Amino acid sequence: MRTTQDTLNILTAQSYKGIGPKWIVDNYKKGISEHKLVAIIAQKDPTIDEYGQDFATRRQMISDFLDKNHQENDFAVSFVDDDFPKMKNTLPIKPSKMPVVLFGRGDLSILSKKSVAVIGVLNPEPEIVDTESRVVKQLVENGLVIVSGLAFGCDSVSHITTLSNHGKTVAILPDRLCNIQPAKNDGLANQIVEQGGLLITEYYRPVKSKFELVNRYIDRDRLQAYFSNLVLLSASYDENKKGNDCGSRHALASALEVGIMRGVIYNPKTDAQNEMFDLNRRIIKEGKCQIVQPETTQKLIDYVYGQRVYSQTTLNI
């Protein structure tokens, strides 16, 4: 696996008790000496060997693990590396939520280009698929990178539509690169890379529990927002007791938190009574979002490129 000494140092530091993203963001500096890093870690975890022998051993074990469990063209990049992709937030990201290391396969540079995250429900109706495909096609034809999560349903529609129209797409994963979730989308993941796209994740170790996997999905959703100029919801149930809501609400909440514009695909004439648009309606009521239909997609494109201000749309719903 291609990586840097800084990235390996950060991963090693995180193996010590009580050291997470916030500690890394607050304390790790590019090119810091191993001796100084060990001394700083000792203030948090006094059990560390002050001579750095334990640190060096752990770092080598992590390096060996990465080499053994990843393909030759996989890479790892940390937030202090020069090629770490630019995030799109306009408000500060909390240090505890910062991605400090990313693992990927494909073209990392496209993550810094103008992009739109297109997300939504796992079981969209045919009409939702058709509308989303028409919108995504226009986004791709105007040179925008499409970001999504490789899940079934709306995520897959956004990736497949992008590839079909010769565009670039990024799949942000909730698990390791070698363990595509869902497994049936493994072929789609390979096609994304083959056509110049990117697979990206924060994880290199296996998940330990169902609870951890659920949290990984939520954390994945925030990255869909951080690396997009706009988060566009195709359709989604809202949080409910039926168990049919999806993680799109987490990505939309993260977008609002860090100042990234939100959009929802919605037609009040056809979608007003459809439960699959419950989240769309809530986001519209909250404000700070744009309502999108295939006929108005160009306005959204102009907004992303900064060519005009997309005025707030209001509906009585």
Side-chain angles (χ1 to χ4, degrees):
M1 167 177 271
R2 294 178 285 115
T3 188
T4 65
Q5 192 71 13
D6 281 313
T7 298
L8 288 174
N9 283 344
I10 289 171
L11 292 173
T12 307
Q14 288 185 301
S15 70
Y16 288 93
K17 184 178 179 180
I19 294 182
K22 184 179 186 306
W23 188 97
I24 296 295
V25 171
D26 290 343
N27 293 278
Y28 195 90
K29 306 300 179 187
K30 182 179 178 65
I32 187 173
S33 71
E34 183 176 318
H35 176 74
K36 185 174 182 180
L37 179 58
V38 168
I40 298 174
I41 294 174
Q43 298 173 16
K44 189 74 173 179
D45 185 351
T47 64
I48 189 174
D49 169 20
E50 62 179 311
Y51 298 105
Q53 294 176 347
D54 176 65
F55 184 90
T57 299
R58 291 192 186 199
R59 184 175 56 204
Q60 188 60 53
M61 290 175 62
I62 290 172
S63 179
D64 292 343
F65 183 88
L66 293 177
D67 288 340
K68 181 180 179 181
N69 291 277
H70 289 80
Q71 298 181 17
E72 262 186 46
N73 59 344
D74 291 350
F75 61 84
V77 60
S78 70
F79 77 110
V80 297
D81 290 327
D82 294 338
D83 55 348
F84 190 82
K86 177 178 174 55
M87 291 180 284
K88 314 298 176 60
N89 56 297
T90 60
L91 298 175
I93 295 174
K94 295 178 181 178
S96 61
K97 293 187 177 182
M98 272 285 292
V100 294
V101 175
L102 296 173
F103 302 88
R105 182 184 308 146
D107 184 358
L108 180 63
S109 69
I110 68 171
L111 207 57
S112 296
K113 297 177 186 274
K114 294 286 188 181
S115 59
V116 175
V118 184
I119 57 178
V121 72
L122 296 172
N123 58 336
E125 297 168 343
E127 294 79 9
I128 293 173
V129 171
D130 178 68
T131 300
E132 179 186 334
S133 298
R134 291 165 62 195
V135 170
V136 170
K137 182 175 184 292
Q138 293 181 64
L139 299 177
V140 171
E141 288 175 344
N142 283 270
L144 293 170
V145 173
I146 303 302
V147 176
S148 201
L150 202 67
F152 289 142
C154 291
D155 285 17
S156 293
V157 171
S158 65
H159 292 306
I160 292 169
T161 303
T162 302
L163 296 173
S164 299
N165 289 278
H166 311 290
K168 307 294 185 186
T169 183
V170 177
I172 301 181
L173 311 175
D175 205 344
R176 299 171 295 161
L177 293 170
C178 63
N179 190 33
I180 297 298
Q181 299 286 347
K184 288 185 178 180
N185 269 352
D186 185 71
L188 178 57
N190 290 332
Q191 188 179 357
I192 287 172
V193 175
E194 289 168 1
Q195 291 191 212
L198 174 69
L199 307 178
I200 206 82
T201 181
E202 291 182 278
Y203 308 104
Y204 73 100
R205 291 199 179 278
V207 66
K208 295 179 180 179
S209 66
K210 184 177 180 179
F211 177 77
E212 181 183 354
L213 182 58
V214 169
N215 284 330
R216 284 188 179 190
Y217 273 99
I218 294 173
D219 287 342
R220 181 277 306 273
D221 293 337
R222 89 192 193 287
L223 294 189
Q224 292 176 330
Y226 292 178
F227 288 110
S228 300
N229 296 92
L230 182 141
V231 178
L232 179 61
L233 176 64
S234 177
S236 178
Y237 299 101
D238 202 352
E239 186 175 12
N240 58 58
K241 296 181 179 180
K242 298 179 183 179
N244 56 7
D245 65 308
C246 70
S248 299
R249 56 193 170 89
H250 300 297
L252 290 159
S254 292
L256 183 63
E257 186 177 275
V258 300
I260 292 168
M261 179 58 74
R262 305 183 299 175
V264 294
I265 297 176
Y266 190 75
N267 185 336
K269 295 180 180 179
T270 58
D271 305 332
Q273 304 302 317
N274 191 337
E275 287 185 331
M276 283 191 181
F277 289 90
D278 281 352
L279 181 60
N280 302 56
R281 282 188 286 273
R282 174 162 71 83
I283 298 301
I284 292 170
K285 288 179 179 179
E286 288 178 358
K288 297 184 178 180
C289 78
Q290 306 300 336
I291 300 171
V292 182
Q293 296 174 18
E295 296 76 18
T296 63
T297 304
Q298 186 59 49
K299 293 182 180 179
L300 195 71
I301 293 165
D302 291 342
Y303 169 82
V304 173
Y305 280 114
Q307 295 172 353
R308 73 171 71 163
V309 176
Y310 196 149
S311 60
Q312 174 70 43
T313 306
T314 59
L315 287 177
N316 293 319
I317 59 174

